[in-house]
Amino acid sequence: MADQHGSEPPGPAAAAELRNFLSEVPTPAAVGHRIVHSGPHLTGHTLIDARVRALLADVADLAPLHVTPALQVVDAARVLLPDVPHVACFDTVFHKDLPAQAHTYAVPERWRTEYGLRRYGFHGLSYTWALQRTAQALGRPVDNLQVVLVHLGGGCSACAVRNGRSVDTTMGLTPLEGLVMSRRSGSLDPGALLWMQRQHGLSTEELDDTLHRHSGLLGLSGTSGDTRDLVRTRAEGDAAAALALATFTLSCRRGIASMAASLDRLDALVFTGEIGEDQPEVREEICSALTVLGVRGELLVPELEDLMREGLRRVDQAGSGVPVLVVATGETQQIAAETRRVLGM
């Protein structure tokens, strides 16, 4: 079963692919679904019924790259396994208790109350897993840790955790805000978008497509949104790749520093996600320029195979500054744990 892994987003063939998979494995006791956005009405991981399915449809536009494809799988799975409980596990739940000053945008009250404009935060399943592993590695209880967690992958974000709770994060109403990402722009001057609409006639659809699919590292480099490609072509003299990586790592440092501003101290800096795990050049360029936070460079470089087997490695030089850890992404394991918890297993 572990070999059955898809790297592409679900598409029209999702039902057939799932049917084929289920024909080869025992009938599951339950199904856990990763749903990126919970919207305003769902604040915990929950069983999927008709009401929950309708609420998820209402918020699909807030995370169109994620929720719409995920709901195709939810629907297919509920048809194929009608007598099995299905649980929605949300990336937003980790941030549900963000303090008011962290989740509030500086816009009129009508926008905040009538339209529901607020910061939600994402990558919560990844952060939950990484936080637990960090506490184990440092030998300290979760509720006595103040850390910055950084998830770097196709989507990228940072999060401040104080005593086990998320108190700030870089993503907002949607997963488009914050750090530069693989193909997503991250934060932009909102005036720039208004200017593009007024002066250059860009439609909402053009802005949506460009900011979600053709920006970030891909837009900067013109060739790839994959840091592995960019590190290689930078070494070959590609100036656009060099600019893309420099912009990306500066964006990460800005995000980390802004998250640290919500803490009293920094007990650890933790990297997770595909880039966080498997791109030592990126980790080094971020940390070597964060001395203002007590973080140092000259990080150790664990073998990826060892990291995946052990699940976690401390990579800072002992006694050199703030601990820096790399945690293998555990979203799948966290979904399994949350599904069992919801069902009382």
Side-chain angles (χ1 to χ4, degrees), residues 34-36 89-95 121-126:
R34 180 196 179 198
I35 308 292
V36 165
C89 301
F90 298 109
D91 273 306
T92 45
V93 166
F94 185 71
H95 309 286
F122 302 93
H123 289 137
L125 294 164
S126 175

Side-chain angles (χ1 to χ4, degrees), residues 53-340:
R53 176 61 181 82
L55 290 171
L56 294 177
D58 289 341
V59 300
D61 284 348
L62 292 176
L65 297 183
H66 303 88
V67 176
T68 300
L71 289 181
Q72 294 178 5
V73 180
V74 168
D75 293 342
R78 293 178 74 203
V79 169
L80 292 167
L81 296 165
D83 300 320
V84 169
H86 295 257
V87 174
C89 301
F90 298 109
D91 273 306
T92 45
V93 166
F94 185 71
H95 309 286
K96 67 183 178 66
D97 294 321
L98 280 174
Q101 65 270 24
H103 73 63
T104 303
Y105 286 115
V107 294
E109 182 180 4
R110 180 184 177 190
W111 287 22
R112 290 180 273 121
T113 56
E114 186 174 332
Y115 304 148
L117 193 61
R118 58 157 291 167
R119 182 180 306 280
Y120 282 93
F122 302 93
H123 289 137
L125 294 164
S126 175
Y127 287 145
T128 303
W129 178 263
L131 179 61
Q132 293 166 346
R133 298 306 305 273
T134 298
Q136 293 168 6
L138 297 179
R140 296 174 60 175
V142 167
D143 60 7
N144 189 33
L145 277 180
Q146 298 199 35
V147 298
V148 172
L149 308 174
V150 189
H151 181 106
L152 302 179
C156 301
S157 72
C159 172
V161 174
R162 177 198 290 265
N163 303 333
R165 298 175 63 180
S166 171
V167 294
D168 203 358
T169 189
T170 55
M171 282 181 168
L173 176 74
T174 77
L176 189 59
E177 188 181 1
L179 310 185
V180 171
M181 306 179 214
S182 177
R183 294 171 179 263
R184 281 174 263 168
S185 63
S187 294
L188 285 175
D189 176 359
L193 302 180
L194 298 174
W195 177 74
M196 292 290 284
Q197 286 184 309
R198 285 196 302 259
Q199 298 298 319
H200 298 283
L202 267 68
S203 66
T204 302
E205 290 73 20
E206 288 176 291
L207 289 172
D208 185 285
D209 184 58
T210 301
L211 296 176
H212 278 101
R213 296 178 176 83
H214 306 287
S215 298
L217 289 167
L218 176 62
L220 287 164
S221 68
T223 56
S224 177
D226 191 321
T227 54
R228 293 169 295 186
D229 296 335
L230 299 177
V231 167
R232 184 181 66 254
T233 55
R234 178 180 64 178
E236 297 167 354
D238 186 329
L243 175 62
L245 287 168
T247 304
F248 177 74
T249 54
L250 174 59
S251 170
C252 292
R253 294 196 301 272
R254 285 171 169 166
I256 292 166
S258 69
M259 293 301 100
S262 289
L263 304 176
D264 299 321
R265 62 181 190 273
L266 185 58
D267 294 328
L269 174 61
V270 183
F271 290 93
T272 189
E274 292 176 351
I275 298 173
E277 296 165 6
D278 190 24
Q279 201 67 70
E281 297 88 348
V282 168
R283 293 196 301 263
E284 181 65 32
E285 288 168 36
I286 291 170
C287 291
S288 62
L290 277 177
T291 54
V292 69
L293 296 181
V295 177
R296 300 287 186 269
E298 299 183 1
L299 301 176
L300 306 175
V301 182
E303 292 292 333
L304 185 60
E305 183 177 327
D306 294 338
L307 174 65
M308 291 299 128
R309 182 178 63 253
E310 298 170 18
L312 180 146
R313 276 293 181 92
R314 185 167 170 174
V315 296
D316 59 291
Q317 299 283 352
S320 66
V322 170
V324 179
L325 293 87
V326 180
V327 177
T329 307
E331 289 165 311
T332 302
Q333 297 96 314
Q334 195 61 42
I335 291 168
E338 301 297 354
T339 299
R340 291 187 179 98

